[in-house]
Amino acid sequence: MDRTKRRIALGVCGALFGFAGALALSIAATLALAQWVGMVYATLIVGSAYTLLSFVCAYVFLRPSKTTEEEVDSIESVTADALADLPFDTIEAIIRKRPIATIGLALAAGYVGMRDPDSTVRHAQNMLFRLL
């Protein structure tokens, strides 16, 4: 089993054991409270405490710290930055991995561009329009 599968399996086991622990804790709390207030009221108190805790967690999780416009602007800027760097990173990786093939391709492109510049520009524009 590789490392990623092991981490996923351990994460699932952690979630299941956490759920089992919370269930055991709630049963223990219910049984402890049942001595003073009875089983029905103890169950009601423990259930209400968990419900209140879930509402507080949901409120904290869903409470916006920024307006929607600020969130959208920040997401757009991060996405634009990532996409702007992506082609240059890819080109750099190709050049580092295959330098001789890259030099040969650059020489061929330069030769074709010098031999017939108008046709080369027209083909490049057609290729860009097809990509978009």
Side-chain angles (χ1 to χ4, degrees), residues 93-109:
I94 291 171
I95 291 171
R96 288 185 189 276
K97 192 172 183 178
R98 296 186 178 89
I100 295 176
T102 306
I103 291 171
L105 186 62
L107 287 173

Side-chain angles (χ1 to χ4, degrees), residues 30-31 33-35 37-44:
T30 303
L31 292 176
L33 280 174
Q35 295 176 359
V37 294
M39 184 60 82
V40 174
Y41 289 116
T43 306
L44 182 68

Side-chain angles (χ1 to χ4, degrees), residues 19-20 29 38 44 48 50 60 64 68-69 71 82 85-87 90 95 100 114 116-118 124-125 128:
F19 178 73
L44 182 68
S48 299
Y50 275 121
V60 170
T68 306
E69 292 81 15
E71 289 285 337
D85 293 339
L86 185 65
T90 305
I95 291 171
I100 295 176
M114 292 301 292
D116 192 8
D118 295 331
Q125 287 175 347
L128 286 175

